[in-house]
Amino acid sequence: MRRWTAPHHERKATGRKHPVLDFMFSYYSHRPSRLERWHPGPGVVLEGDAALAYLKWPVYRRTPDGVTLDVEAFARERANTIEFAGRLLTATAGRAPRLGCFGLHEWAMVYRQRPEQVRHDAWPLRLGSEGTDRVVESQRVQCGHFDAFRFFTPEARPRNAVQPTRETQVELEQPGCLHANMDLFKWAYKLDPATPSELVADCFELAVAIRELDMRASPYDLADLGYEPVPIETAEGRAEYVRRQSAFAEAATPLRARLIELSRVLAAAPVAAR
């Protein structure tokens, strides 16, 4: 994971901001040091003296064979998170991907804002403020992901086809959504250290790739950083977006399945302990 964490540490030390990659360490709250730390996941026994270092985490226990994750203790401690993650991920996996939102959530987040209000104000809008507003007004905005919708400007929210809330998240989340697939990383680390670190890393790397598309399709001009735009204001750009969105939905499917299986293993642990 140091290919991602080392540059982040360097940027932070020098006060440099990155409008694409900082998101992975600011919006997502998993510290870089935790990304760099390896955990084996349930059912693995670590042998040797070095394994004793894992006992500093209360959810590990010592056995005659070595050190292992105390699944029952972890399940009791994180019961609510395990239940919600399993329910959300299972509901999402059971739906067909819906494509064609064209990443308009990023445009709706700056709709009718003054230049000084724009989140990434160090970077210009490709079409300017008026051009950006016209794109929002000319397209059907249909974002069903609450954690994207909550950042819409007040003027943009009535334009959305649905009005998602935290309470309707399980009902609305679907596997074509870029943010739902990025959030596989969030559910992986919320179950840390029970999540095998290889799975956390796989989810993180998928989230980075999706984030790059998210910002390439955004209204910002990030070409100086090497991110060529996916111009969703054009028919060609929208077609490219849908192709990439479909590929990410396919790539997310096995990761979501692995997280669902993990949640089932963890949810079953307290039952087995009684």
Side-chain angles (χ1 to χ4, degrees):
M1 297 309 297
R2 289 196 178 98
R3 63 177 290 214
W4 303 110
T5 58
H8 174 73
H9 288 310
E10 292 171 7
R11 289 193 301 270
K12 194 170 182 180
T14 56
R16 289 179 293 124
K17 294 184 177 181
H18 196 294
V20 179
L21 298 178
D22 285 352
F23 180 85
M24 299 303 303
F25 302 97
S26 56
Y27 175 79
Y28 293 117
S29 58
H30 205 49
R31 295 191 301 273
S33 61
R34 298 192 71 168
L35 275 173
E36 294 168 354
R37 184 183 299 145
W38 181 80
H39 291 284
V44 177
V45 178
L46 302 176
E47 300 176 341
D49 292 341
L52 299 179
Y54 282 81
L55 294 174
K56 67 183 177 183
W57 291 286
V59 293
Y60 280 91
R61 61 184 174 88
R62 196 168 187 172
T63 73
D65 299 316
V67 175
T68 190
L69 182 76
D70 188 336
V71 178
E72 290 81 7
F74 182 89
R76 287 192 298 270
E77 180 184 302
R78 306 280 188 91
N80 291 338
T81 301
I82 293 166
E83 187 277 331
F84 182 77
R87 188 157 51 91
L88 176 65
L89 294 167
T90 301
T92 305
R95 299 184 178 113
R98 295 197 303 275
L99 309 175
C101 65
F102 307 129
L104 284 165
H105 55 274
E106 287 289 342
W107 300 69
M109 292 177 191
V110 299
Y111 180 64
R112 293 193 177 177
Q113 283 190 331
R114 298 187 302 276
E116 67 273 15
Q117 294 176 303
V118 173
R119 179 175 303 175
H120 301 295
D121 58 0
W123 299 91
L125 300 175
R126 290 191 296 105
L127 305 180
S129 295
E130 291 184 4
T132 299
D133 292 348
R134 283 196 294 271
V135 170
V136 175
E137 291 162 359
S138 67
Q139 302 287 335
R140 185 171 184 265
V141 186
Q142 45 186 340
C143 177
H145 193 273
F146 172 70
D147 284 313
F149 176 73
R150 66 191 176 98
F151 292 106
F152 280 28
T153 65
E155 296 83 359
R157 288 180 182 178
R159 293 184 167 275
N160 201 34
V162 291
Q163 299 292 301
T165 65
R166 183 66 71 201
E167 291 69 29
T168 60
Q169 185 175 6
V170 175
E171 300 170 30
L172 293 178
E173 206 135 300
Q174 53 90 16
C177 172
L178 291 192
H179 277 263
N181 292 329
M182 273 195 285
D183 279 354
L184 294 179
F185 170 56
K186 176 174 71 174
W187 297 115
Y189 74 70
K190 280 187 174 292
L191 297 177
D192 175 84
T195 312
S197 290
E198 290 82 358
L199 179 53
V200 176
D202 288 346
C203 291
F204 180 88
E205 292 199 338
L206 176 65
V208 170
I210 295 174
R211 172 64 177 171
E212 290 176 357
L213 174 62
D214 203 29
M215 293 304 286
R216 289 179 61 204
S218 78
Y220 298 102
D221 185 351
L222 303 175
D224 286 350
L225 286 174
Y227 298 104
E228 291 300 320
V230 175
I232 57 91
E233 68 274 14
T234 69
E236 295 79 9
R238 290 192 292 275
E240 181 181 355
Y241 185 91
V242 169
R243 285 194 299 272
R244 293 177 179 270
Q245 186 180 26
S246 178
F248 284 134
E250 185 175 346
T253 297
L255 300 183
R256 185 174 285 109
R258 288 160 66 187
L259 287 169
I260 290 170
E261 180 57 28
L262 174 65
S263 71
R264 287 173 178 163
V265 168
L266 298 173
V271 176
R274 286 198 291 264

